[in-house]
Amino acid sequence: MSVSRCWAVVPAAGVGSRMQAERPKQYLPLHGRYLMDHTLETLLGYKRFEQLVVVLSEQDPYWCDSEFAGDARIIRAPGGSERCYSVLNGLRALQDLAAADDWVAVHDVARPCLRHSDLDALFGALQNTAACGAILASPTRDTMKRGVLHADGTVAIDHTVERTQLWHALTPQVFRYQELTQALEYCLAHQLEVTDEASALEQRQRSALLVEGRADNLKVTRPEDLALAGLYLTPGK
Ligand SMILES: Nc1ccn([C@@H]2O[C@H](COP(=O)(O)OP(=O)(O)OP(=O)(O)O)[C@@H](O)[C@H]2O)c(=O)n1
Ligand SMILES: C[C@](O)(CO)[C@H](O)COP(=O)(O)O
């Protein structure tokens, strides 16, 4: 029986507004190189991936200075107005290359601390499973509260959320090429702007596996996250 090939789609077309930086966060310096290049180096170094689709803003003036701008293993695709549109554009860039049952791993470029060991765990979980896919996730460690916004701008506790089996969804999120593409097309056709790939499959009543991954696979989102990512990426950490 043939082994399904695997592709990676890397949404990298965001503006990083929450980062409040002078450039999109994927192009901020981290240990002397683009944050993005740490992510791409990890993915390019993982031999299961046939090729990477990097989804970039059409106005992106920084990509040309990436260490991997000329890498033949990278296919470029245009970003969209939201992450889900960018991911779909990335999938469509594979339409002449990927087979329906090939795996596609979608990984945020803003998560530079991904380890190959987590990728091994993710693909290991996909062996001999009836699940439609698998995502890296991290169990919540804190007591979780649901807040309510008051007219004066304060937020008060509405109630404590039962946190047993409550997980932070991370990336990569891995699904079959055709099923993920069709699920995203369905969601966007119905104005369901999902924030991750698993949500699109859930809208089609398909459930993925949660594979526990490292909590240091953080998404650099706010200013304080950059220093933390730098610490996690320090050799030997
Ligand atoms: N239209 C978009 C929006 C986001 N992304 C990518 O999706 C990932 C996760 O999104 P997020 O962390 O929200 O990035 P931004 O949208 O850039 O951040 P913000 O929401 O603060 O603007 C990032 O790698 C980002 O580059 C994308 O490819 N296309
Ligand atoms: C895909 C994701 O990283 C999983 O947690 C998250 O949903 C991205 O959300 P964002 O608002 O686009 O950062």
Side-chain angles (χ1 to χ4, degrees):
M1 183 175 85
S2 66
V3 175
S4 300
R5 296 178 302 173
C6 188
W7 310 82
V9 170
V10 187
V15 297
S17 57
R18 289 171 284 181
M19 202 68 198
Q20 300 166 352
E22 85 287 349
R23 62 175 58 192
K25 59 192 180 184
Q26 55 270 36
Y27 294 111
L28 291 175
L30 200 54
H31 290 306
R33 57 197 304 210
Y34 280 161
L35 180 153
M36 164 189 265
D37 287 349
H38 290 276
T39 308
L40 296 182
E41 181 178 56
T42 298
L43 296 174
L44 289 166
Y46 197 68
K47 297 313 173 191
R48 277 222 54 182
F49 294 133
E50 297 286 328
Q51 285 187 272
L52 269 53
V53 179
V54 178
V55 188
L56 298 166
S57 165
E58 293 185 284
Q59 293 76 40
D60 184 328
Y62 306 103
W63 169 250
C64 56
D65 294 324
S66 164
E67 297 163 37
F68 303 103
D71 194 305
R73 295 167 294 175
I74 289 178
I75 301 162
R76 292 173 53 179
S81 58
E82 299 293 334
R83 181 184 179 281
C84 49
Y85 294 102
S86 293
V87 171
L88 185 54
N89 287 349
L91 291 167
R92 286 172 170 162
L94 289 170
Q95 62 189 5
D96 296 332
L97 294 169
D101 67 348
D102 281 357
W103 293 115
V104 179
V106 181
H107 183 61
D108 296 329
V109 82
R111 293 184 187 272
C113 304
L114 175 65
R115 303 277 186 108
H116 283 181
S117 55
D118 271 359
L119 286 166
D120 289 342
L122 199 52
F123 286 107
L126 290 168
Q127 303 294 322
N128 309 316
T129 178
C132 65
I135 75 170
L136 285 180
S138 176
T140 50
R141 302 163 177 232
D142 305 303
T143 295
M144 305 300 289
K145 306 291 186 185
R146 171 79 53 196
V148 55
L149 178 62
H150 288 171
D152 63 2
T154 60
V155 181
I157 294 172
D158 180 63
H159 66 275
T160 297
V161 178
E162 167 54 52
R163 70 175 180 179
T164 310
Q165 290 307 322
L166 200 56
W167 297 67
H168 294 278
L170 309 175
T171 68
Q173 303 198 0
V174 184
F175 295 95
R176 298 286 185 184
Y177 175 73
Q178 184 177 66
E179 189 168 23
L180 175 57
T181 303
Q182 290 176 346
L184 273 174
E185 286 173 340
Y186 171 87
C187 288
L188 299 181
H190 292 80
Q191 290 77 49
L192 301 168
E193 291 187 349
V194 290
T195 58
D196 75 340
E197 289 63 61
S199 301
L201 274 296
E202 292 159 41
Q203 289 292 336
R204 311 302 288 145
Q205 292 71 53
R206 298 280 279 152
S207 175
L209 296 177
L210 287 167
V211 176
E212 183 167 356
R214 295 173 59 99
D216 60 6
N217 177 17
L218 84 163
K219 181 164 63 70
V220 175
T221 305
R222 300 182 186 281
E224 63 271 22
D225 297 334
L226 195 64
L228 197 51
L231 178 65
Y232 289 151
L233 286 171
T234 302
K237 282 291 178 190

